[in-house]
Amino acid sequence: GSRFSVRATPHRFTSLHIFRFSSSCEARPFSPLQALSQLTDSLATNMFWKGARLAGPLSRGKIAAGAAAGSAALALVHQSKPLAAEDAKKLPVPPGCLMVGTGEYVTGFVGGKGVDSDKKCGVLALVCLDLRNRGKIGRLGMVGTNGQKLPALREHMQKALGEVYEGIDPSVIETWPKDGVVDPAAYKDAAAAFKPGDLAIIFTPDDTHYDIAMACIERGLHVMITKPPVKSLKQHLELVEAAKKHNVLCVAELHKRFDPIYLDARDRIRSLGPFSYFWAYMSQPKSQLDTFKAWAGKSSDISYYLNSHHIDYHEWCLHGKARPVRVTAHSSTGVAKEKLDGVETEDTITIVVDWKNFEDGSVGHGVYTSSWVAAKADVHSQQRWFYMGQKGEVTVDQAHRGYTVAQDGVPFASVNPLFWKPTPSEGRFAAQRTYGYISFEETVDAVAQVNSGKKSAADYDGLLPTIGTIAGTTAILEAGRRSLDAGGRPFELLYEGDGRFETPIGMRPQA
């Protein structure tokens, strides 16, 4: 997880600089002891293989010789001794992690079978199993509502994960409710089984997030919630206060903030002067309506589901530079209602937001469109946007990274392993550098820091999408929904004052 930078003459080191890089791109130097430990560990590993290779073709005895050479090199610097019992007790205990939800993003299993999307092996469960192997997570649990499907789910995970990736063992995951039991409130028993300081990661239908998150926070668990964290500004602000009261982290899972292209674009946007115009489009194929049939149009809509990504990203880009003041929404209908057996819901939703710049009082506007009735294409999700500031512009096609794959029997695809890499490397899981992985790892690392007392939850405001810093996104999404329900009527966002970093406290319809 580290980057090493060495400047040397042909014969000797002149200086050694070792840094750890955080998600905020701030270089943090190791302590000398940490640096020495990291470097000597690498040297010892290198000595192991060199010793084995010098001995000729590998055999058990020659590998042992290589290991001895590596151990000797390490001992010369570390002069290490076995940990005493009392010292062992002082080692930090990694937090337990409860995954709330069992669907596509968690396991890749929906409707009794694996999904037909780019998440056939899921994301969250595989990430957590790997983090457990790396010692960053301890106990691992998963809770749904329907224990009748758990045996089939375990079978799917064994085939999709356990039999594909070396060292990944899904059987270590504890599950709730009991097999055969249907219990919509099973999350309460599961949360009670974990201890304060553990982490709950919530991937359930949007209208369930608030109750689950509040129960976990009141239990003393840190919480990570898939976007949108909640559907109303009122509930959002209540979660903010609850997290403060119980001194826990509450973070939204917004992985686009960790995309290296989005991150670089954001840093450039910050220097392009006052905001003028933003346009974003994101879609998924209409086949996803089969995957989402249990909740689509009932507990949420396509804007909450997809517009949340780019609204959050744009708000993050403009943090302290401009704020949203007026929201209007428009929609298209026809396909989803038929696919969902008469459920009244929109096919495509566009939200238009007016923003006021702090620097000069000028106004810019953003247009955010999302749809779940697109045709199948070379990507699962079309995702692209354009930003214009008063001093420059940025264009990003997130879906197409210049990497395509054509294979017999498989549709032509533009793939994006920067987000997620399910393809094994020599039989092992190898997605640790993807932003779909890093989004979770950064939160797990933050939880460990807060639990150790080295950091407070408030220290992560601005570094992670904490619940207290993203209220503007929830306000825009809710105002958009209310605008649609009112026939396209505009809604004004309300603030306590004129501060640059204030978030909305309410909204009201305009005449």
Side-chain angles (χ1 to χ4, degrees):
S2 309
R3 301 286 188 271
F4 294 87
S5 174
V6 180
R7 295 200 301 270
T9 66
H11 302 291
R12 63 186 180 87
F13 287 125
T14 55
S15 59
L16 175 65
H17 302 275
I18 302 177
F19 296 91
R20 176 187 293 121
F21 286 87
S22 71
S23 64
S24 60
C25 294
E26 172 190 2
R28 301 178 181 177
F30 281 109
S31 69
L33 183 59
Q34 287 175 313
L36 189 59
S37 175
Q38 289 275 346
L39 185 57
T40 53
D41 285 348
S42 297
L43 289 173
T45 302
N46 191 39
M47 285 293 291
F48 164 84
W49 291 111
K50 281 187 176 179
R53 285 197 296 270
L54 286 171
L58 288 180
S59 67
R60 183 176 299 177
K62 290 169 182 176
I63 290 176
S71 297
L74 186 61
L76 285 173
V77 184
H78 274 207
Q79 296 293 317
S80 59
K81 298 178 181 179
L83 280 175
E86 287 303 313
D87 291 332
K89 291 179 181 178
K90 297 176 183 177
L91 291 174
V93 177
C97 180
L98 174 64
M99 296 174 280
V100 186
T102 62
E104 179 184 31
Y105 207 85
V106 181
T107 67
F109 186 78
V110 176
K113 60 182 180 180
V115 297
D116 180 23
S117 76
D118 59 345
K119 303 176 186 69
K120 292 179 174 61
C121 62
V123 176
L124 175 58
L126 183 50
V127 168
C128 286
L129 286 165
D130 187 69
L131 288 171
R132 184 179 183 274
N133 286 349
R134 295 173 60 197
K136 292 195 171 192
I137 284 177
R139 184 185 184 191
L140 193 54
M142 181 184 295
V143 57
T145 61
N146 187 356
Q148 295 176 355
K149 74 177 186 181
L150 289 178
L153 174 60
R154 293 190 197 97
E155 181 180 354
H156 162 80
M157 292 182 68
Q158 179 57 31
K159 289 180 178 178
L161 306 182
E163 296 177 10
V164 173
Y165 305 102
E166 180 184 338
I168 295 294
D169 180 12
S171 70
V172 303
I173 301 174
E174 302 172 59
T175 57
W176 287 266
K178 292 182 178 179
D179 287 5
V181 174
V182 177
D183 181 6
Y187 67 88
K188 295 179 181 178
D189 292 335
F194 281 75
K195 66 181 186 300
D198 287 340
L199 170 65
I201 303 180
I202 301 167
F203 271 76
T204 59
D206 296 349
D207 62 342
T208 66
H209 293 175
Y210 175 80
D211 289 339
I212 297 171
M214 189 62 79
C216 292
I217 289 172
E218 291 176 348
R219 172 62 180 156
L221 304 181
H222 303 283
V223 171
M224 186 180 202
I225 317 170
T226 186
K227 48 74 195 167
V230 287
K231 294 174 61 182
S232 75
L233 181 59
K234 178 178 181 296
Q235 289 184 338
H236 190 116
L237 297 177
E238 288 173 358
L239 287 182
V240 172
E241 293 306 313
K244 288 180 182 177
K245 176 181 176 181
H246 294 277
N247 193 31
V248 297
L249 271 170
C250 185
V251 177
E253 201 286 307
L254 290 158
H255 50 256
K256 293 192 185 302
R257 291 194 179 201
F258 300 92
D259 181 334
I261 292 176
Y262 276 48
L263 180 58
D264 183 73
R266 191 253 184 183
D267 293 340
R268 293 174 186 271
I269 284 170
R270 302 285 290 176
S271 65
L272 296 182
F275 165 62
S276 182
Y277 173 67
F278 183 84
W279 170 86
Y281 172 74
M282 188 170 181
S283 70
Q284 290 191 350
K286 57 178 67 71
S287 59
Q288 281 294 98
L289 290 170
D290 297 324
T291 301
F292 302 150
K293 203 163 191 174
W295 61 265
K298 302 171 186 176
S299 64
S300 194
D301 60 37
I302 186 56
S303 181
Y304 277 112
Y305 179 62
L306 288 186
N307 269 336
S308 49
H309 274 301
H310 286 118
I311 289 174
D312 169 75
Y313 177 73
H314 188 207
E315 191 197 23
W316 184 44
C317 289
L318 297 182
H319 184 64
K321 294 176 66 66
R323 70 183 185 185
V325 294
R326 184 176 181 267
V327 180
T328 310
H330 308 273
S331 67
S332 303
T333 60
V335 177
K337 181 177 179 179
E338 181 179 349
K339 291 275 293 180
L340 297 172
D341 301 326
V343 173
E344 294 288 348
T345 192
E346 297 84 4
D347 295 348
T348 304
I349 294 175
T350 295
I351 292 180
V352 181
V353 180
D354 293 337
W355 295 75
K356 184 175 181 180
N357 290 300
F358 288 112
E359 182 178 334
D360 59 3
S362 61
V363 174
H365 72 285
V367 181
Y368 320 88
T369 297
S370 59
S371 178
W372 48 18
V373 299
K376 277 197 172 185
D378 59 329
V379 294
H380 181 67
S381 293
Q382 298 285 355
Q383 305 177 49
R384 47 190 178 267
W385 56 265
F386 169 82
Y387 178 95
M388 179 184 288
Q390 293 183 11
K391 296 181 180 180
E393 59 188 48
V394 178
T395 302
V396 172
D397 182 352
Q398 194 272 354
H400 299 91
R401 304 298 178 102
Y403 179 27
T404 61
V405 176
Q407 184 179 350
D408 289 345
V410 179
F412 176 79
S414 294
V415 294
N416 179 15
L418 297 179
F419 162 59
W420 186 235
K421 184 189 181 310
T423 308
S425 291
E426 305 299 334
R428 300 191 67 84
F429 175 67
Q432 291 85 357
R433 296 296 179 216
T434 64
Y435 60 87
Y437 186 107
I438 292 170
S439 176
F440 294 111
E441 184 181 19
E442 288 285 322
T443 296
V444 169
D445 289 345
V447 164
Q449 289 292 300
V450 173
N451 287 347
S452 72
K454 296 176 181 177
K455 296 281 188 179
S456 70
D459 288 335
Y460 289 93
D461 290 346
L463 295 178
L464 295 175
T466 54
I467 194 75
T469 61
I470 60 170
T473 297
T474 298
I476 291 170
L477 290 167
E478 181 190 359
R481 181 68 258 173
R482 293 175 66 174
S483 174
L484 285 176
D485 293 341
R489 189 175 185 180
F491 275 73
E492 177 187 1
L493 301 184
L494 307 176
Y495 297 83
E496 283 189 353
D498 296 324
R500 284 177 174 262
F501 301 104
E502 291 190 25
T503 54
I505 59 170
M507 63 192 70
R508 65 187 176 199
Q510 288 189 332

